[in-house]
Amino acid sequence: MNQLISKQRTYFNTHETKELKFRIEQLNKLDALLKSNENLLYEAIYSDFKKSEFDTYTTELALLYQDIKDAKKNLRKWAKVERVGTNMLNFPAKSYIIPEPLGVCLVIGAWNYPYQLTLAPVIAAMAAGNTVIIKPSELAANTSAVMAKLINENFNLNYLKVVEGGIPETTDLLNQKFDKIFFTGSPQVGKIVYQAAAKQLTPVTLELGGKSPAIVTEDCNLKMTVKRLVWGKFLNAGQTCVAPDYVLVHKSIAQEFLKLLTAEIKKENFLVENGNYTQIINDRNLERLSQLIDADKIYYGGEINASERYIQPTVLHNVTFDDAVMQDEIFGPILPVISYSDLESAIQQINKLPAPLSCYVFTSSKNTKAKILKEISFGGGAINETVMHIANSNLPFGGVGNSGLGSYHGEAGFKVFTHYKSILDKPTFIELPLKYYPHTHTKMSWIKRFLKF
Ligand code: NAD
Protein backbone atom coordinates (compact mmCIF):
# COMPACT_ATOMS: atom_id res chain seq x y z
CA MET A 1 0.00 0.00 0.00
CA ASN A 2 2.80 2.29 1.03
CA GLN A 3 4.63 1.85 -2.27
CA LEU A 4 1.49 2.31 -4.30
CA ILE A 5 0.64 5.55 -2.55
CA SER A 6 4.15 6.86 -2.83
CA LYS A 7 4.15 6.07 -6.59
CA GLN A 8 0.87 7.96 -6.95
CA ARG A 9 2.33 10.87 -5.00
CA THR A 10 5.41 10.96 -7.22
CA TYR A 11 3.17 10.93 -10.27
CA PHE A 12 0.93 13.66 -8.84
CA ASN A 13 4.04 15.76 -8.29
CA THR A 14 4.81 15.66 -12.03
CA HIS A 15 1.72 17.97 -12.28
CA GLU A 16 0.43 16.06 -15.29
CA THR A 17 -2.95 15.34 -13.67
CA LYS A 18 -3.47 19.07 -13.15
CA GLU A 19 -3.69 19.80 -16.88
CA LEU A 20 -7.30 20.27 -17.99
CA LYS A 21 -6.57 18.48 -21.24
CA PHE A 22 -5.33 15.46 -19.29
CA ARG A 23 -8.39 15.47 -17.03
CA ILE A 24 -10.77 15.54 -19.99
CA GLU A 25 -8.85 12.80 -21.82
CA GLN A 26 -9.01 10.55 -18.78
CA LEU A 27 -12.73 11.21 -18.25
CA ASN A 28 -13.32 10.33 -21.91
CA LYS A 29 -11.33 7.15 -21.43
CA LEU A 30 -13.41 6.11 -18.42
CA ASP A 31 -16.61 6.93 -20.28
CA ALA A 32 -15.58 4.78 -23.26
CA LEU A 33 -14.38 1.97 -20.99
CA LEU A 34 -17.70 1.77 -19.15
CA LYS A 35 -19.74 2.03 -22.35
CA SER A 36 -17.80 -0.66 -24.17
CA ASN A 37 -17.99 -3.04 -21.21
CA GLU A 38 -21.60 -2.60 -20.16
CA ASN A 39 -22.31 -6.30 -20.61
CA LEU A 40 -19.53 -7.25 -18.20
CA LEU A 41 -20.89 -4.75 -15.71
CA TYR A 42 -24.43 -6.13 -16.02
CA GLU A 43 -23.23 -9.72 -15.58
CA ALA A 44 -21.18 -8.91 -12.50
CA ILE A 45 -23.95 -7.08 -10.69
CA TYR A 46 -26.47 -9.76 -11.58
CA SER A 47 -24.24 -12.39 -10.06
CA ASP A 48 -23.83 -10.32 -6.89
CA PHE A 49 -27.50 -9.67 -6.12
CA LYS A 50 -29.45 -10.17 -9.31
CA LYS A 51 -29.85 -6.52 -10.13
CA SER A 52 -31.42 -6.11 -13.57
CA GLU A 53 -29.93 -4.35 -16.60
CA PHE A 54 -32.71 -1.75 -16.50
CA ASP A 55 -32.06 -0.84 -12.87
CA THR A 56 -28.29 -0.94 -13.32
CA TYR A 57 -28.47 1.40 -16.29
CA THR A 58 -30.98 3.84 -14.81
CA THR A 59 -29.73 3.99 -11.22
CA GLU A 60 -26.01 3.57 -11.81
CA LEU A 61 -24.49 3.83 -15.28
CA ALA A 62 -26.70 6.66 -16.56
CA LEU A 63 -25.77 8.73 -13.49
CA LEU A 64 -22.07 8.09 -14.10
CA TYR A 65 -22.33 9.06 -17.77
CA GLN A 66 -24.17 12.21 -16.72
CA ASP A 67 -21.44 13.01 -14.16
CA ILE A 68 -18.74 12.64 -16.80
CA LYS A 69 -20.68 14.80 -19.25
CA ASP A 70 -21.31 17.49 -16.62
CA ALA A 71 -17.68 17.49 -15.49
CA LYS A 72 -16.37 17.85 -19.05
CA LYS A 73 -18.85 20.59 -19.86
CA ASN A 74 -18.14 22.63 -16.73
CA LEU A 75 -14.52 21.85 -16.01
CA ARG A 76 -13.11 25.10 -17.39
CA LYS A 77 -15.57 27.10 -15.33
CA TRP A 78 -15.01 25.11 -12.13
CA ALA A 79 -11.22 25.11 -12.44
CA LYS A 80 -10.95 28.78 -13.36
CA VAL A 81 -8.90 31.12 -11.20
CA GLU A 82 -11.39 33.47 -9.55
CA ARG A 83 -10.54 37.16 -9.16
CA VAL A 84 -11.94 38.68 -5.96
CA GLY A 85 -11.85 42.23 -4.61
CA THR A 86 -8.91 43.61 -2.64
CA ASN A 87 -9.53 45.62 0.51
CA MET A 88 -8.09 49.09 1.14
CA LEU A 89 -5.54 47.83 3.66
CA ASN A 90 -3.85 45.80 0.96
CA PHE A 91 -3.99 48.45 -1.74
CA PRO A 92 -2.51 48.24 -4.37
CA ALA A 93 -2.80 44.50 -5.10
CA LYS A 94 -4.74 41.80 -6.92
CA SER A 95 -6.52 39.01 -5.06
CA TYR A 96 -7.49 35.68 -6.56
CA ILE A 97 -8.36 32.09 -5.67
CA ILE A 98 -6.72 29.14 -7.44
CA PRO A 99 -8.63 25.83 -7.37
CA GLU A 100 -6.02 23.08 -7.09
CA PRO A 101 -6.29 19.31 -6.65
CA LEU A 102 -5.63 17.89 -3.20
CA GLY A 103 -3.30 15.08 -4.32
CA VAL A 104 -3.61 11.35 -3.65
CA CYS A 105 -7.18 10.45 -2.72
CA LEU A 106 -8.78 7.33 -1.30
CA VAL A 107 -12.36 6.49 -2.31
CA ILE A 108 -14.07 3.75 -0.29
CA GLY A 109 -17.34 2.55 -1.84
CA ALA A 110 -20.48 0.77 -0.63
CA TRP A 111 -22.05 -2.29 -2.24
CA ASN A 112 -25.69 -1.28 -2.72
CA TYR A 113 -25.16 0.80 -5.88
CA PRO A 114 -21.61 -0.46 -6.34
CA TYR A 115 -20.76 1.26 -9.64
CA GLN A 116 -22.41 4.57 -8.95
CA LEU A 117 -21.29 4.95 -5.33
CA THR A 118 -17.72 3.90 -6.07
CA LEU A 119 -17.14 5.68 -9.36
CA ALA A 120 -19.11 8.95 -8.95
CA PRO A 121 -16.60 10.24 -6.36
CA VAL A 122 -13.77 8.98 -8.57
CA ILE A 123 -15.10 11.03 -11.50
CA ALA A 124 -15.25 14.11 -9.24
CA ALA A 125 -11.69 13.46 -8.03
CA MET A 126 -10.43 13.03 -11.62
CA ALA A 127 -12.17 16.21 -12.74
CA ALA A 128 -10.46 18.04 -9.90
CA GLY A 129 -7.06 16.70 -11.05
CA ASN A 130 -6.22 14.14 -8.37
CA THR A 131 -4.88 10.59 -8.41
CA VAL A 132 -7.16 8.01 -6.80
CA ILE A 133 -6.95 4.70 -4.99
CA ILE A 134 -10.34 3.03 -5.16
CA LYS A 135 -11.59 0.47 -2.63
CA PRO A 136 -14.94 -1.00 -3.70
CA SER A 137 -17.04 -2.94 -1.19
CA GLU A 138 -16.07 -6.59 -0.88
CA LEU A 139 -19.74 -7.50 -0.25
CA ALA A 140 -20.47 -7.07 -3.96
CA ALA A 141 -17.47 -9.22 -4.90
CA ASN A 142 -18.15 -9.49 -8.64
CA THR A 143 -18.69 -5.80 -9.23
CA SER A 144 -15.55 -5.11 -7.19
CA ALA A 145 -13.62 -7.55 -9.40
CA VAL A 146 -14.93 -6.11 -12.66
CA MET A 147 -14.07 -2.55 -11.61
CA ALA A 148 -10.58 -3.75 -10.63
CA LYS A 149 -10.13 -5.52 -13.96
CA LEU A 150 -11.32 -2.64 -16.13
CA ILE A 151 -9.53 0.14 -14.30
CA ASN A 152 -6.29 -1.62 -13.43
CA GLU A 153 -5.87 -2.98 -16.96
CA ASN A 154 -6.59 0.32 -18.67
CA PHE A 155 -5.29 3.14 -16.51
CA ASN A 156 -1.83 4.02 -15.33
CA LEU A 157 -1.81 2.63 -11.78
CA ASN A 158 0.08 5.69 -10.62
CA TYR A 159 -3.06 7.60 -11.54
CA LEU A 160 -6.00 5.28 -10.80
CA LYS A 161 -5.81 1.96 -9.03
CA VAL A 162 -8.48 -0.33 -7.60
CA VAL A 163 -7.47 -2.16 -4.45
CA GLU A 164 -9.88 -4.95 -3.59
CA GLY A 165 -10.50 -6.32 -0.14
CA GLY A 166 -12.44 -6.17 3.09
CA ILE A 167 -11.70 -4.92 6.58
CA PRO A 168 -7.97 -5.87 6.75
CA GLU A 169 -7.15 -4.23 3.40
CA THR A 170 -9.23 -1.14 4.21
CA THR A 171 -7.57 -0.87 7.61
CA ASP A 172 -4.18 -1.08 5.92
CA LEU A 173 -5.17 1.70 3.53
CA LEU A 174 -6.49 3.84 6.36
CA ASN A 175 -3.14 3.62 8.11
CA GLN A 176 -1.51 5.43 5.18
CA LYS A 177 -1.26 9.13 4.55
CA PHE A 178 -3.73 10.38 1.93
CA ASP A 179 -4.61 13.93 0.94
CA LYS A 180 -8.34 13.16 0.97
CA ILE A 181 -10.56 10.26 2.00
CA PHE A 182 -14.04 9.94 0.55
CA PHE A 183 -16.09 7.26 2.31
CA THR A 184 -19.57 5.90 1.59
CA GLY A 185 -21.06 3.47 4.09
CA SER A 186 -22.50 3.12 7.55
CA PRO A 187 -22.14 5.65 10.39
CA GLN A 188 -20.36 2.94 12.44
CA VAL A 189 -17.58 2.48 9.89
CA GLY A 190 -17.67 6.23 9.16
CA LYS A 191 -16.41 6.78 12.71
CA ILE A 192 -13.52 4.36 12.15
CA VAL A 193 -12.58 6.18 8.94
CA TYR A 194 -12.82 9.59 10.61
CA GLN A 195 -10.58 8.50 13.49
CA ALA A 196 -7.97 7.05 11.15
CA ALA A 197 -8.03 10.24 9.05
CA ALA A 198 -7.65 12.42 12.15
CA LYS A 199 -4.30 10.78 12.93
CA GLN A 200 -2.94 12.14 9.65
CA LEU A 201 -5.09 15.29 9.58
CA THR A 202 -6.54 14.04 6.32
CA PRO A 203 -9.72 15.82 5.16
CA VAL A 204 -12.70 13.51 4.80
CA THR A 205 -16.10 13.40 3.20
CA LEU A 206 -18.42 10.89 4.86
CA GLU A 207 -21.52 9.78 2.98
CA LEU A 208 -23.43 7.80 5.58
CA GLY A 209 -27.00 6.65 6.22
CA GLY A 210 -29.78 6.90 8.76
CA LYS A 211 -33.50 6.48 9.27
CA SER A 212 -35.05 8.70 6.59
CA PRO A 213 -38.70 9.45 7.37
CA ALA A 214 -41.59 10.02 4.99
CA ILE A 215 -44.34 12.21 6.40
CA VAL A 216 -47.75 11.76 4.83
CA THR A 217 -50.18 14.49 5.84
CA GLU A 218 -53.96 14.42 5.61
CA ASP A 219 -54.04 16.89 2.69
CA CYS A 220 -51.68 15.01 0.36
CA ASN A 221 -52.52 13.52 -3.03
CA LEU A 222 -52.79 10.03 -1.60
CA LYS A 223 -52.73 8.08 -4.85
CA MET A 224 -49.56 9.79 -6.07
CA THR A 225 -47.99 9.60 -2.61
CA VAL A 226 -48.40 5.85 -2.47
CA LYS A 227 -47.04 5.36 -5.97
CA ARG A 228 -43.88 7.38 -5.34
CA LEU A 229 -43.33 5.95 -1.87
CA VAL A 230 -43.60 2.35 -3.02
CA TRP A 231 -41.14 2.98 -5.85
CA GLY A 232 -38.56 4.68 -3.60
CA LYS A 233 -38.86 2.16 -0.80
CA PHE A 234 -38.69 -1.09 -2.75
CA LEU A 235 -36.21 -0.02 -5.43
CA ASN A 236 -33.14 -2.27 -5.04
CA ALA A 237 -35.18 -4.26 -2.45
CA GLY A 238 -34.99 -1.34 -0.05
CA GLN A 239 -31.18 -1.36 -0.04
CA THR A 240 -30.92 2.35 -0.84
CA CYS A 241 -29.32 4.88 1.48
CA VAL A 242 -31.99 7.47 0.65
CA ALA A 243 -34.94 5.07 0.72
CA PRO A 244 -37.80 6.16 2.94
CA ASP A 245 -37.05 4.11 6.05
CA TYR A 246 -40.44 4.51 7.73
CA VAL A 247 -43.72 6.37 7.20
CA LEU A 248 -45.51 8.71 9.57
CA VAL A 249 -49.07 9.03 8.32
CA HIS A 250 -51.87 11.18 9.71
CA LYS A 251 -54.30 8.94 11.57
CA SER A 252 -57.33 10.27 9.66
CA ILE A 253 -56.01 8.70 6.43
CA ALA A 254 -53.94 5.82 7.87
CA GLN A 255 -56.34 3.01 6.93
CA GLU A 256 -56.92 4.32 3.43
CA PHE A 257 -53.14 4.81 3.04
CA LEU A 258 -52.41 1.19 4.07
CA LYS A 259 -55.03 -0.12 1.66
CA LEU A 260 -53.70 1.86 -1.29
CA LEU A 261 -50.10 1.06 -0.35
CA THR A 262 -50.79 -2.65 -0.44
CA ALA A 263 -52.65 -2.38 -3.72
CA GLU A 264 -49.71 -0.52 -5.26
CA ILE A 265 -47.17 -3.11 -4.02
CA LYS A 266 -49.31 -5.89 -5.50
CA LYS A 267 -49.62 -4.00 -8.78
CA GLU A 268 -45.86 -3.54 -9.05
CA ASN A 269 -45.41 -7.29 -8.52
CA PHE A 270 -41.90 -7.02 -7.07
CA LEU A 271 -40.06 -10.17 -8.09
CA VAL A 272 -36.42 -10.75 -8.95
CA GLU A 273 -37.60 -12.62 -12.06
CA ASN A 274 -39.48 -9.50 -13.16
CA GLY A 275 -36.31 -7.45 -13.01
CA ASN A 276 -37.87 -4.89 -10.67
CA TYR A 277 -36.48 -6.35 -7.45
CA THR A 278 -33.12 -7.65 -6.23
CA GLN A 279 -31.84 -10.20 -3.79
CA ILE A 280 -30.73 -9.21 -0.31
CA ILE A 281 -26.97 -8.81 -0.60
CA ASN A 282 -25.95 -11.66 1.74
CA ASP A 283 -27.14 -14.13 4.37
CA ARG A 284 -26.06 -11.89 7.25
CA ASN A 285 -28.30 -9.07 6.05
CA LEU A 286 -31.14 -11.48 5.31
CA GLU A 287 -30.92 -12.75 8.88
CA ARG A 288 -30.70 -9.21 10.30
CA LEU A 289 -33.77 -8.10 8.32
CA SER A 290 -35.83 -11.16 9.16
CA GLN A 291 -35.34 -10.36 12.87
CA LEU A 292 -36.97 -6.97 12.26
CA ILE A 293 -40.25 -8.42 11.00
CA ASP A 294 -42.56 -8.67 13.99
CA ALA A 295 -45.17 -11.26 12.94
CA ASP A 296 -47.86 -9.54 15.05
CA LYS A 297 -47.42 -6.31 13.14
CA ILE A 298 -47.40 -7.55 9.55
CA TYR A 299 -50.03 -5.73 7.51
CA TYR A 300 -48.75 -7.11 4.22
CA GLY A 301 -45.93 -9.44 3.13
CA GLY A 302 -43.47 -11.05 5.50
CA GLU A 303 -42.60 -13.98 3.24
CA ILE A 304 -38.91 -14.97 3.26
CA ASN A 305 -37.03 -17.40 1.03
CA ALA A 306 -33.59 -17.76 2.60
CA SER A 307 -32.03 -19.84 -0.18
CA GLU A 308 -33.00 -17.19 -2.75
CA ARG A 309 -32.11 -14.35 -0.35
CA TYR A 310 -35.60 -13.00 -1.00
CA ILE A 311 -37.73 -10.92 1.35
CA GLN A 312 -41.18 -9.96 0.13
CA PRO A 313 -42.00 -6.24 0.30
CA THR A 314 -43.37 -6.03 3.83
CA VAL A 315 -45.54 -3.41 5.48
CA LEU A 316 -45.75 -3.28 9.28
CA HIS A 317 -48.54 -1.37 11.02
CA ASN A 318 -49.27 -0.31 14.60
CA VAL A 319 -45.53 0.28 14.90
CA THR A 320 -44.13 2.42 17.74
CA PHE A 321 -40.79 4.15 18.10
CA ASP A 322 -39.82 1.53 20.70
CA ASP A 323 -40.06 -1.40 18.28
CA ALA A 324 -36.87 -3.16 17.11
CA VAL A 325 -37.50 -2.03 13.53
CA MET A 326 -37.29 1.62 14.68
CA GLN A 327 -33.90 1.37 16.41
CA ASP A 328 -31.59 1.40 13.37
CA GLU A 329 -31.61 2.07 9.65
CA ILE A 330 -33.55 -0.83 8.04
CA PHE A 331 -31.80 -0.96 4.65
CA GLY A 332 -34.18 -3.58 3.28
CA PRO A 333 -37.75 -4.06 2.01
CA ILE A 334 -39.58 -3.55 5.29
CA LEU A 335 -41.78 -0.47 5.69
CA PRO A 336 -43.00 0.40 9.19
CA VAL A 337 -46.05 2.65 9.24
CA ILE A 338 -46.72 4.79 12.30
CA SER A 339 -49.81 6.97 12.54
CA TYR A 340 -49.69 10.40 14.16
CA SER A 341 -52.39 12.72 15.37
CA ASP A 342 -50.62 16.07 15.38
CA LEU A 343 -47.72 17.21 13.26
CA GLU A 344 -45.98 18.90 16.17
CA SER A 345 -45.49 15.66 18.07
CA ALA A 346 -44.54 13.78 14.86
CA ILE A 347 -41.76 16.32 14.28
CA GLN A 348 -40.63 15.96 17.89
CA GLN A 349 -40.40 12.18 17.50
CA ILE A 350 -38.32 12.48 14.34
CA ASN A 351 -36.04 14.99 16.01
CA LYS A 352 -35.34 12.56 18.87
CA LEU A 353 -33.54 10.30 16.36
CA PRO A 354 -30.16 11.21 14.82
CA ALA A 355 -30.42 13.55 11.81
CA PRO A 356 -31.30 11.37 8.79
CA LEU A 357 -29.81 11.44 5.30
CA SER A 358 -33.20 12.29 3.73
CA CYS A 359 -36.72 13.28 4.55
CA TYR A 360 -39.81 13.15 2.33
CA VAL A 361 -42.89 15.25 2.81
CA PHE A 362 -46.19 14.48 1.12
CA THR A 363 -48.52 17.43 1.45
CA SER A 364 -50.38 20.05 -0.54
CA SER A 365 -50.06 22.63 2.21
CA LYS A 366 -47.41 25.32 1.84
CA ASN A 367 -47.41 25.91 5.60
CA THR A 368 -46.86 22.24 6.46
CA LYS A 369 -44.05 22.03 3.94
CA ALA A 370 -42.39 25.16 5.33
CA LYS A 371 -42.78 23.99 8.94
CA ILE A 372 -41.18 20.60 8.28
CA LEU A 373 -38.32 22.04 6.21
CA LYS A 374 -37.61 24.52 9.00
CA GLU A 375 -37.94 22.25 12.01
CA ILE A 376 -36.30 18.96 10.98
CA SER A 377 -32.58 18.68 10.28
CA PHE A 378 -31.69 16.20 7.49
CA GLY A 379 -29.22 15.88 4.61
CA GLY A 380 -31.57 16.56 1.69
CA GLY A 381 -34.89 15.37 0.45
CA ALA A 382 -37.97 15.90 -1.65
CA ILE A 383 -41.51 17.22 -1.47
CA ASN A 384 -44.15 14.86 -2.87
CA GLU A 385 -41.39 12.59 -4.19
CA THR A 386 -38.79 10.11 -2.95
CA VAL A 387 -35.14 9.48 -3.86
CA MET A 388 -35.07 11.54 -7.07
CA HIS A 389 -33.30 14.57 -5.55
CA ILE A 390 -30.07 12.59 -5.91
CA ALA A 391 -30.48 12.66 -9.69
CA ASN A 392 -30.20 16.46 -9.94
CA SER A 393 -26.50 17.30 -9.98
CA ASN A 394 -27.28 20.94 -9.13
CA LEU A 395 -28.29 19.72 -5.67
CA PRO A 396 -25.27 18.93 -3.44
CA PHE A 397 -25.86 15.48 -1.98
CA GLY A 398 -24.81 14.52 1.53
CA GLY A 399 -25.87 14.07 5.12
CA VAL A 400 -25.69 16.11 8.28
CA GLY A 401 -24.65 15.01 11.77
CA ASN A 402 -24.91 11.24 12.02
CA SER A 403 -25.78 10.86 8.33
CA GLY A 404 -22.59 12.40 7.01
CA LEU A 405 -20.11 15.15 6.57
CA GLY A 406 -19.75 17.10 3.31
CA SER A 407 -21.60 16.70 0.04
CA TYR A 408 -20.93 15.93 -3.62
CA HIS A 409 -22.53 15.61 -7.11
CA GLY A 410 -21.93 18.21 -9.81
CA GLU A 411 -19.78 21.16 -8.79
CA ALA A 412 -20.06 20.16 -5.10
CA GLY A 413 -18.14 16.98 -6.03
CA PHE A 414 -15.41 18.99 -7.73
CA LYS A 415 -15.15 21.17 -4.62
CA VAL A 416 -14.64 18.35 -2.12
CA PHE A 417 -11.58 17.20 -4.06
CA THR A 418 -10.20 20.71 -4.48
CA HIS A 419 -8.22 23.09 -2.33
CA TYR A 420 -8.98 26.76 -2.93
CA LYS A 421 -5.65 28.54 -2.68
CA SER A 422 -6.04 32.22 -1.84
CA ILE A 423 -3.43 34.61 -3.18
CA LEU A 424 -2.70 38.26 -2.53
CA ASP A 425 -0.53 39.46 -5.40
CA LYS A 426 1.29 42.75 -4.77
CA PRO A 427 3.33 44.94 -7.07
CA THR A 428 6.64 46.32 -5.78
CA PHE A 429 6.56 49.83 -7.23
CA ILE A 430 4.91 51.34 -4.15
CA GLU A 431 4.69 50.64 -0.43
CA LEU A 432 2.56 52.35 2.21
CA PRO A 433 4.69 52.53 5.34
CA LEU A 434 1.83 52.28 7.86
CA LYS A 435 2.48 48.78 9.21
CA TYR A 436 6.21 49.32 9.84
CA TYR A 437 7.97 50.63 12.94
CA PRO A 438 8.01 53.17 14.46
CA HIS A 439 4.27 52.89 15.34
CA THR A 440 3.23 56.54 15.74
CA HIS A 441 -0.09 58.21 16.57
CA THR A 442 -0.27 59.64 13.05
CA LYS A 443 0.05 56.17 11.55
CA MET A 444 -2.57 54.87 13.93
CA SER A 445 -5.04 57.56 12.90
CA TRP A 446 -4.39 56.77 9.21
CA ILE A 447 -5.01 53.08 9.87
CA LYS A 448 -8.28 53.94 11.60
CA ARG A 449 -9.29 56.07 8.63
CA PHE A 450 -8.60 53.19 6.28
CA LEU A 451 -10.41 50.61 8.39
CA LYS A 452 -13.47 52.80 9.04
CA PHE A 453 -14.83 50.66 11.92
P1 NAD B 1 -20.21 -0.45 5.57
O1 NAD B 1 -19.94 0.74 6.40
O2 NAD B 1 -20.33 -1.76 6.26
O3 NAD B 1 -19.06 -0.64 4.47
C1 NAD B 1 -18.62 0.40 3.65
C2 NAD B 1 -17.15 0.20 3.29
O4 NAD B 1 -16.37 0.18 4.47
C3 NAD B 1 -16.83 -1.09 2.55
O5 NAD B 1 -15.95 -0.79 1.48
C4 NAD B 1 -16.16 -1.95 3.58
O6 NAD B 1 -15.16 -2.79 3.04
C5 NAD B 1 -15.51 -0.96 4.52
N1 NAD B 1 -15.48 -1.44 5.90
C6 NAD B 1 -16.42 -2.19 6.54
N2 NAD B 1 -16.07 -2.40 7.83
C7 NAD B 1 -14.88 -1.78 8.01
C8 NAD B 1 -13.98 -1.63 9.12
N3 NAD B 1 -14.27 -2.18 10.32
N4 NAD B 1 -12.86 -0.93 8.94
C9 NAD B 1 -12.58 -0.38 7.75
N5 NAD B 1 -13.36 -0.49 6.66
C10 NAD B 1 -14.51 -1.17 6.78
O7 NAD B 1 -21.53 -0.10 4.75
P2 NAD B 1 -22.33 -0.97 3.71
O8 NAD B 1 -22.93 -2.16 4.37
O9 NAD B 1 -21.51 -1.21 2.48
O10 NAD B 1 -23.51 0.04 3.30
C11 NAD B 1 -24.60 0.26 4.13
C12 NAD B 1 -24.56 1.61 4.79
O11 NAD B 1 -24.05 2.60 3.94
C13 NAD B 1 -25.94 2.11 5.18
O12 NAD B 1 -25.87 2.78 6.42
C14 NAD B 1 -26.27 3.09 4.09
O13 NAD B 1 -27.23 4.05 4.41
C15 NAD B 1 -24.95 3.69 3.84
N6 NAD B 1 -24.88 4.26 2.50
C16 NAD B 1 -24.78 5.60 2.35
C17 NAD B 1 -24.77 6.14 1.08
C18 NAD B 1 -24.67 7.61 0.84
O14 NAD B 1 -24.46 7.98 -0.31
N7 NAD B 1 -24.78 8.46 1.82
C19 NAD B 1 -24.85 5.30 -0.01
C20 NAD B 1 -24.96 3.93 0.19
C21 NAD B 1 -24.95 3.42 1.44
Side-chain angles (χ1 to χ4, degrees), residues 108-112 117 135-139 165-167 170-171 174 183-187 189-190 192-193 207-210 240-241 329 331 357 397 403 408:
I108 303 176
W111 55 264
N112 55 326
L117 292 172
K135 213 299 288 176
S137 171
E138 73 284 14
L139 299 194
I167 297 177
T170 317
T171 308
L174 290 172
F183 171 80
T184 303
S186 61
V189 181
I192 297 173
V193 172
E207 294 286 337
L208 312 177
T240 303
C241 57
E329 181 183 358
F331 218 55
L357 185 58
F397 172 69
S403 54
Y408 74 130

